[in-house]
Each structure stands twice: as structure tokens, then as C-alpha cells.
Amino acid sequence: MKEDDRVGVLVGWSSQTFGPNLILDIQNYERSTWHSGEEPDVTRIFMTRNQAALLANHLFEISGTSPPRRPQGQFGRLFG
């Protein structure tokens, strides 16, 4: 990382569907503003569902966790 790189901290996110695609809103504070009391910056990212899945898989991989398992069938929905 270079000294003049923009560095921030993730403080929130939301998403919405946009036809067959997605819009991901990422809220962050940059190093220079996170103690200033200002509202976080919002970056809006338009992506395909495939890009979203690849990003999700990458984040699971680098965090060392697994995607949540969906309960299977009626029994699984009741007790999963």
C-alpha cells in the first residue's frame, strides 16, 4: 500500500435488484474523515449477479468461512 492510497473503513452496505442485475451500496469513512462526525461516503456499484456471486465467494474464501447452508425440505425449514 502506498502512503497516498485512499484507505477507509467499511461501516455498512445495502443492495437492491435492478432487473437482472444488482446495485450494491457501500458506506465507508476514509481515514481523513472517520472521526469528523460527517455522514459516511456511499459508493454505488452496479454489477451482474455473476459478479456478485464471485465477490461473495472471494470474501468467504479470504475470511476462512463458508456460505450459510439453506435448510432442505419442510423438516429443514422447521428445524434448520
Side-chain angles (χ1 to χ4, degrees):
M1 186 168 21
K2 296 179 295 190
E3 193 168 318
D4 61 339
D5 282 349
R6 293 175 59 186
V7 176
V9 60
L10 177 67
V11 295
W13 63 87
S14 63
S15 63
Q16 57 187 324
T17 58
F18 188 75
N21 301 302
L22 302 169
I23 297 173
L24 176 64
D25 291 340
I26 296 176
Q27 301 167 353
N28 70 291
Y29 285 106
E30 286 193 20
R31 179 176 40 204
S32 62
T33 62
W34 59 41
H35 292 296
S36 68
E38 295 178 26
E39 291 291 316
D41 293 328
V42 176
T43 302
R44 190 158 283 135
I45 301 171
F46 180 82
M47 64 178 73
T48 65
R49 291 177 187 267
N50 188 49
Q51 288 173 314
L54 290 170
L55 175 59
N57 285 334
H58 176 71
L59 293 172
F60 281 123
E61 184 177 311
I62 65 172
S63 68
T65 60
S66 302
R69 294 182 54 159
R70 287 188 170 175
Q72 299 297 315
Q74 188 174 16
F75 184 78
R77 280 193 291 275
L78 291 174
F79 301 102

mmCIF file of all heavy atoms in Angstrom, residues 23-47:
data_model
loop_
_atom_site.group_PDB
_atom_site.id
_atom_site.type_symbol
_atom_site.label_atom_id
_atom_site.label_comp_id
_atom_site.label_asym_id
_atom_site.label_seq_id
_atom_site.Cartn_x
_atom_site.Cartn_y
_atom_site.Cartn_z
ATOM 1 N N ILE A 23 -27.488 -3.648 -7.478
ATOM 2 C CA ILE A 23 -26.792 -2.431 -7.098
ATOM 3 C C ILE A 23 -26.377 -2.612 -5.646
ATOM 4 O O ILE A 23 -27.202 -2.886 -4.779
ATOM 5 C CB ILE A 23 -27.682 -1.192 -7.253
ATOM 6 C CG1 ILE A 23 -28.079 -1.006 -8.718
ATOM 7 C CG2 ILE A 23 -26.959 0.048 -6.727
ATOM 8 C CD1 ILE A 23 -29.089 0.101 -8.951
ATOM 9 N N LEU A 24 -25.092 -2.481 -5.389
ATOM 10 C CA LEU A 24 -24.532 -2.620 -4.044
ATOM 11 C C LEU A 24 -24.093 -1.237 -3.582
ATOM 12 O O LEU A 24 -23.296 -0.582 -4.240
ATOM 13 C CB LEU A 24 -23.340 -3.574 -4.070
ATOM 14 C CG LEU A 24 -22.576 -3.761 -2.765
ATOM 15 C CD1 LEU A 24 -23.460 -4.397 -1.699
ATOM 16 C CD2 LEU A 24 -21.333 -4.608 -3.011
ATOM 17 N N ASP A 25 -24.666 -0.776 -2.470
ATOM 18 C CA ASP A 25 -24.262 0.491 -1.869
ATOM 19 C C ASP A 25 -23.326 0.189 -0.712
ATOM 20 O O ASP A 25 -23.686 -0.549 0.209
ATOM 21 C CB ASP A 25 -25.471 1.264 -1.328
ATOM 22 C CG ASP A 25 -26.382 1.791 -2.423
ATOM 23 O OD1 ASP A 25 -25.932 1.898 -3.571
ATOM 24 O OD2 ASP A 25 -27.545 2.080 -2.124
ATOM 25 N N ILE A 26 -22.119 0.726 -0.770
ATOM 26 C CA ILE A 26 -21.128 0.520 0.281
ATOM 27 C C ILE A 26 -20.926 1.844 1.005
ATOM 28 O O ILE A 26 -20.666 2.871 0.370
ATOM 29 C CB ILE A 26 -19.796 0.029 -0.315
ATOM 30 C CG1 ILE A 26 -20.000 -1.343 -0.960
ATOM 31 C CG2 ILE A 26 -18.709 -0.013 0.741
ATOM 32 C CD1 ILE A 26 -18.784 -1.877 -1.656
ATOM 33 N N GLN A 27 -21.072 1.819 2.325
ATOM 34 C CA GLN A 27 -20.867 3.014 3.148
ATOM 35 C C GLN A 27 -19.519 2.891 3.834
ATOM 36 O O GLN A 27 -19.228 1.872 4.453
ATOM 37 C CB GLN A 27 -21.970 3.131 4.194
ATOM 38 C CG GLN A 27 -23.347 3.223 3.598
ATOM 39 C CD GLN A 27 -24.422 3.012 4.635
ATOM 40 O OE1 GLN A 27 -24.154 2.667 5.775
ATOM 41 N NE2 GLN A 27 -25.657 3.217 4.233
ATOM 42 N N ASN A 28 -18.718 3.939 3.720
ATOM 43 C CA ASN A 28 -17.400 3.888 4.338
ATOM 44 C C ASN A 28 -16.953 5.280 4.769
ATOM 45 O O ASN A 28 -17.467 6.290 4.298
ATOM 46 C CB ASN A 28 -16.371 3.281 3.388
ATOM 47 C CG ASN A 28 -16.049 4.188 2.233
ATOM 48 O OD1 ASN A 28 -16.880 4.416 1.362
ATOM 49 N ND2 ASN A 28 -14.849 4.733 2.220
ATOM 50 N N TYR A 29 -16.030 5.287 5.693
ATOM 51 C CA TYR A 29 -15.334 6.504 6.086
ATOM 52 C C TYR A 29 -13.897 6.371 5.622
ATOM 53 O O TYR A 29 -13.279 5.331 5.809
ATOM 54 C CB TYR A 29 -15.318 6.682 7.608
ATOM 55 C CG TYR A 29 -16.639 7.125 8.186
ATOM 56 C CD1 TYR A 29 -17.440 6.231 8.882
ATOM 57 C CD2 TYR A 29 -17.072 8.427 8.047
ATOM 58 C CE1 TYR A 29 -18.643 6.625 9.422
ATOM 59 C CE2 TYR A 29 -18.279 8.832 8.580
ATOM 60 C CZ TYR A 29 -19.061 7.935 9.266
ATOM 61 O OH TYR A 29 -20.254 8.336 9.811
ATOM 62 N N GLU A 30 -13.375 7.436 5.041
ATOM 63 C CA GLU A 30 -11.960 7.446 4.710
ATOM 64 C C GLU A 30 -11.170 7.832 5.946
ATOM 65 O O GLU A 30 -11.705 8.423 6.890
ATOM 66 C CB GLU A 30 -11.684 8.430 3.571
ATOM 67 C CG GLU A 30 -12.160 7.890 2.248
ATOM 68 C CD GLU A 30 -11.620 8.682 1.075
ATOM 69 O OE1 GLU A 30 -10.610 9.382 1.230
ATOM 70 O OE2 GLU A 30 -12.231 8.575 0.008
ATOM 71 N N ARG A 31 -9.914 7.486 5.925
ATOM 72 C CA ARG A 31 -9.034 7.736 7.059
ATOM 73 C C ARG A 31 -9.125 9.188 7.545
ATOM 74 O O ARG A 31 -9.140 9.445 8.740
ATOM 75 C CB ARG A 31 -7.604 7.390 6.656
ATOM 76 C CG ARG A 31 -6.582 7.617 7.721
ATOM 77 C CD ARG A 31 -5.201 7.168 7.323
ATOM 78 N NE ARG A 31 -4.866 7.466 5.937
ATOM 79 C CZ ARG A 31 -3.972 6.824 5.245
ATOM 80 N NH1 ARG A 31 -3.292 5.835 5.766
ATOM 81 N NH2 ARG A 31 -3.717 7.151 3.992
ATOM 82 N N SER A 32 -9.221 10.129 6.626
ATOM 83 C CA SER A 32 -9.210 11.540 6.999
ATOM 84 C C SER A 32 -10.528 12.027 7.589
ATOM 85 O O SER A 32 -10.578 13.100 8.181
ATOM 86 C CB SER A 32 -8.857 12.396 5.782
ATOM 87 O OG SER A 32 -9.839 12.218 4.772
ATOM 88 N N THR A 33 -11.635 11.249 7.466
ATOM 89 C CA THR A 33 -12.944 11.742 7.915
ATOM 90 C C THR A 33 -13.627 10.882 8.963
ATOM 91 O O THR A 33 -14.696 11.239 9.433
ATOM 92 C CB THR A 33 -13.912 11.879 6.721
ATOM 93 O OG1 THR A 33 -14.124 10.593 6.125
ATOM 94 C CG2 THR A 33 -13.397 12.856 5.701
ATOM 95 N N TRP A 34 -13.059 9.736 9.369
ATOM 96 C CA TRP A 34 -13.841 8.832 10.209
ATOM 97 C C TRP A 34 -14.074 9.360 11.615
ATOM 98 O O TRP A 34 -14.927 8.858 12.326
ATOM 99 C CB TRP A 34 -13.340 7.413 10.209
ATOM 100 C CG TRP A 34 -11.935 7.125 10.667
ATOM 101 C CD1 TRP A 34 -11.272 7.670 11.721
ATOM 102 C CD2 TRP A 34 -11.046 6.186 10.086
ATOM 103 N NE1 TRP A 34 -10.027 7.123 11.826
ATOM 104 C CE2 TRP A 34 -9.861 6.212 10.841
ATOM 105 C CE3 TRP A 34 -11.138 5.323 9.015
ATOM 106 C CZ2 TRP A 34 -8.773 5.394 10.542
ATOM 107 C CZ3 TRP A 34 -10.066 4.518 8.735
ATOM 108 C CH2 TRP A 34 -8.899 4.564 9.490
ATOM 109 N N HIS A 35 -13.371 10.378 12.063
ATOM 110 C CA HIS A 35 -13.637 10.958 13.379
ATOM 111 C C HIS A 35 -14.281 12.339 13.293
ATOM 112 O O HIS A 35 -14.473 12.986 14.304
ATOM 113 C CB HIS A 35 -12.332 11.082 14.181
ATOM 114 C CG HIS A 35 -11.757 9.755 14.575
ATOM 115 N ND1 HIS A 35 -12.404 8.888 15.421
ATOM 116 C CD2 HIS A 35 -10.610 9.140 14.221
ATOM 117 C CE1 HIS A 35 -11.676 7.798 15.581
ATOM 118 N NE2 HIS A 35 -10.581 7.914 14.845
ATOM 119 N N SER A 36 -14.649 12.771 12.098
ATOM 120 C CA SER A 36 -15.128 14.138 11.918
ATOM 121 C C SER A 36 -16.612 14.325 12.202
ATOM 122 O O SER A 36 -17.078 15.446 12.270
ATOM 123 C CB SER A 36 -14.834 14.602 10.495
ATOM 124 O OG SER A 36 -15.636 13.866 9.578
ATOM 125 N N GLY A 37 -17.383 13.265 12.341
ATOM 126 C CA GLY A 37 -18.819 13.378 12.572
ATOM 127 C C GLY A 37 -19.626 13.525 11.295
ATOM 128 O O GLY A 37 -20.843 13.671 11.351
ATOM 129 N N GLU A 38 -18.975 13.500 10.144
ATOM 130 C CA GLU A 38 -19.684 13.579 8.869
ATOM 131 C C GLU A 38 -20.386 12.258 8.566
ATOM 132 O O GLU A 38 -20.055 11.223 9.130
ATOM 133 C CB GLU A 38 -18.696 13.876 7.734
ATOM 134 C CG GLU A 38 -18.019 15.212 7.822
ATOM 135 C CD GLU A 38 -17.019 15.406 6.691
ATOM 136 O OE1 GLU A 38 -17.184 14.791 5.629
ATOM 137 O OE2 GLU A 38 -16.062 16.173 6.898
ATOM 138 N N GLU A 39 -21.353 12.316 7.656
ATOM 139 C CA GLU A 39 -22.002 11.103 7.178
ATOM 140 C C GLU A 39 -20.980 10.283 6.387
ATOM 141 O O GLU A 39 -20.069 10.851 5.780
ATOM 142 C CB GLU A 39 -23.185 11.452 6.274
ATOM 143 C CG GLU A 39 -24.349 12.086 7.002
ATOM 144 C CD GLU A 39 -25.042 11.105 7.921
ATOM 145 O OE1 GLU A 39 -25.285 9.951 7.507
ATOM 146 O OE2 GLU A 39 -25.332 11.489 9.062
ATOM 147 N N PRO A 40 -21.124 8.963 6.372
ATOM 148 C CA PRO A 40 -20.170 8.155 5.588
ATOM 149 C C PRO A 40 -20.326 8.406 4.098
ATOM 150 O O PRO A 40 -21.393 8.807 3.621
ATOM 151 C CB PRO A 40 -20.551 6.717 5.945
ATOM 152 C CG PRO A 40 -21.941 6.780 6.436
ATOM 153 C CD PRO A 40 -22.128 8.141 7.029
ATOM 154 N N ASP A 41 -19.268 8.158 3.365
ATOM 155 C CA ASP A 41 -19.323 8.193 1.904
ATOM 156 C C ASP A 41 -20.108 6.971 1.445
ATOM 157 O O ASP A 41 -20.062 5.913 2.087
ATOM 158 C CB ASP A 41 -17.921 8.123 1.297
ATOM 159 C CG ASP A 41 -17.093 9.349 1.600
ATOM 160 O OD1 ASP A 41 -17.670 10.448 1.713
ATOM 161 O OD2 ASP A 41 -15.865 9.217 1.711
ATOM 162 N N VAL A 42 -20.832 7.109 0.347
ATOM 163 C CA VAL A 42 -21.557 5.979 -0.231
ATOM 164 C C VAL A 42 -21.053 5.779 -1.653
ATOM 165 O O VAL A 42 -21.031 6.711 -2.453
ATOM 166 C CB VAL A 42 -23.083 6.217 -0.234
ATOM 167 C CG1 VAL A 42 -23.807 5.077 -0.933
ATOM 168 C CG2 VAL A 42 -23.605 6.401 1.178
ATOM 169 N N THR A 43 -20.626 4.562 -1.925
ATOM 170 C CA THR A 43 -20.227 4.185 -3.274
ATOM 171 C C THR A 43 -21.260 3.209 -3.795
ATOM 172 O O THR A 43 -21.565 2.209 -3.139
ATOM 173 C CB THR A 43 -18.832 3.525 -3.268
ATOM 174 O OG1 THR A 43 -17.895 4.445 -2.710
ATOM 175 C CG2 THR A 43 -18.412 3.133 -4.669
ATOM 176 N N ARG A 44 -21.823 3.505 -4.939
ATOM 177 C CA ARG A 44 -22.858 2.659 -5.531
ATOM 178 C C ARG A 44 -22.209 1.864 -6.655
ATOM 179 O O ARG A 44 -21.633 2.434 -7.583
ATOM 180 C CB ARG A 44 -23.983 3.545 -6.050
ATOM 181 C CG ARG A 44 -25.205 2.798 -6.457
ATOM 182 C CD ARG A 44 -26.431 3.697 -6.455
ATOM 183 N NE ARG A 44 -26.849 3.876 -5.066
ATOM 184 C CZ ARG A 44 -27.184 5.044 -4.537
ATOM 185 N NH1 ARG A 44 -27.139 6.135 -5.233
ATOM 186 N NH2 ARG A 44 -27.565 5.105 -3.281
ATOM 187 N N ILE A 45 -22.305 0.529 -6.565
ATOM 188 C CA ILE A 45 -21.666 -0.351 -7.538
ATOM 189 C C ILE A 45 -22.746 -1.159 -8.259
ATOM 190 O O ILE A 45 -23.535 -1.859 -7.625
ATOM 191 C CB ILE A 45 -20.662 -1.300 -6.851
ATOM 192 C CG1 ILE A 45 -19.594 -0.476 -6.126
ATOM 193 C CG2 ILE A 45 -20.049 -2.258 -7.861
ATOM 194 C CD1 ILE A 45 -18.690 -1.289 -5.245
ATOM 195 N N PHE A 46 -22.765 -1.056 -9.574
ATOM 196 C CA PHE A 46 -23.687 -1.811 -10.415
ATOM 197 C C PHE A 46 -22.959 -3.075 -10.857
ATOM 198 O O PHE A 46 -21.826 -3.001 -11.336
ATOM 199 C CB PHE A 46 -24.061 -0.948 -11.630
ATOM 200 C CG PHE A 46 -25.001 -1.600 -12.578
ATOM 201 C CD1 PHE A 46 -26.371 -1.595 -12.337
ATOM 202 C CD2 PHE A 46 -24.535 -2.214 -13.723
ATOM 203 C CE1 PHE A 46 -27.247 -2.192 -13.225
ATOM 204 C CE2 PHE A 46 -25.394 -2.816 -14.613
ATOM 205 C CZ PHE A 46 -26.757 -2.800 -14.361
ATOM 206 N N MET A 47 -23.571 -4.235 -10.635
ATOM 207 C CA MET A 47 -22.912 -5.490 -11.008
ATOM 208 C C MET A 47 -23.920 -6.529 -11.450
ATOM 209 O O MET A 47 -25.099 -6.455 -11.109
ATOM 210 C CB MET A 47 -22.071 -6.022 -9.847
ATOM 211 C CG MET A 47 -22.866 -6.397 -8.615
ATOM 212 S SD MET A 47 -21.866 -7.083 -7.276
ATOM 213 C CE MET A 47 -21.038 -5.646 -6.696
#
